[in-house]
Amino acid sequence: MSPRSRTGELEQAVLETLWSAGAPSSGREVHEKLADRDLAYTTVMTVLDRLVAKDLVVRERDGRAFRYAPRLTRAAMTAELMHEALEVTGADRDQALVSFVGEASADDLAALRRALADLG
C-alpha cells in the first residue's frame, strides 16, 4: 500500500481536527484543539509536515506562518483508501469485494444499495 493509505493514530487525530475546523487552520490552532493530549507544539507541527508529505494535507502561507487543510473530505479519503486497497488485491479483487460486502453491517449494505441506485 502507498504511504498515504496508512496514517497513525496521532495523524488521524490531526486530520479529524482539520476536518472539524471547516477552514484552513494554523499549527497553533491545531495544537490548541489537541490540548487534552498534552502534546508539544513541535510534535503537532511534525505531524502536519508528515501529512503534507503524504499529500493528505495542503499547506498555504499566511504571513510568516502556514495554514493547513485536508486535501480531501473524510468521504473522499475513505473512498481513495478503498480504491488503493482494491488495487493491491490484483486477481482477488472480486473476492475482496464479496468479502467486504459479506462482512458489512445492515446499515452499510443499505448505504451501498442507495449509492448504487444513485449511480444507475
Side-chain angles (χ1 to χ4, degrees):
M1 276 193 189
S2 76
R4 289 186 302 152
S5 64
R6 295 185 187 245
T7 57
E9 188 271 332
L10 185 52
E11 290 174 328
Q12 192 62 39
V14 169
L15 276 170
E16 291 293 335
T17 299
L18 292 172
W19 280 317
S20 296
S25 301
S26 69
R28 181 82 46 212
E29 290 167 335
V30 173
H31 180 251
E32 288 170 5
K33 295 268 167 82
L34 296 170
D36 60 325
R37 290 175 167 261
D38 197 30
L39 298 169
Y41 172 76
T42 54
T43 300
V44 172
M45 293 307 300
T46 298
V47 171
L48 285 165
D49 287 342
R50 240 186 291 155
L51 291 170
V52 168
K54 290 182 177 186
D55 197 28
L56 296 173
V57 167
V58 294
R59 172 176 50 201
E60 60 186 41
R61 186 159 292 282
D62 183 19
R64 291 182 18 197
F66 289 101
R67 297 192 80 66
Y68 299 85
R71 183 178 62 84
L72 300 170
T73 64
R74 279 183 185 99
M77 182 176 166
T78 300
E80 186 173 282
L81 293 173
M82 292 170 74
H83 285 289
E84 287 178 8
L86 286 172
E87 285 174 12
V88 298
T89 62
D92 294 336
R93 185 182 190 111
D94 289 350
Q95 188 56 44
L97 286 167
V98 168
S99 182
F100 172 77
V101 170
E103 296 177 20
S105 69
D107 288 343
D108 289 342
L109 289 174
L112 185 55
R113 284 186 188 99
R114 284 191 304 275
L116 290 170
D118 288 348
L119 291 173

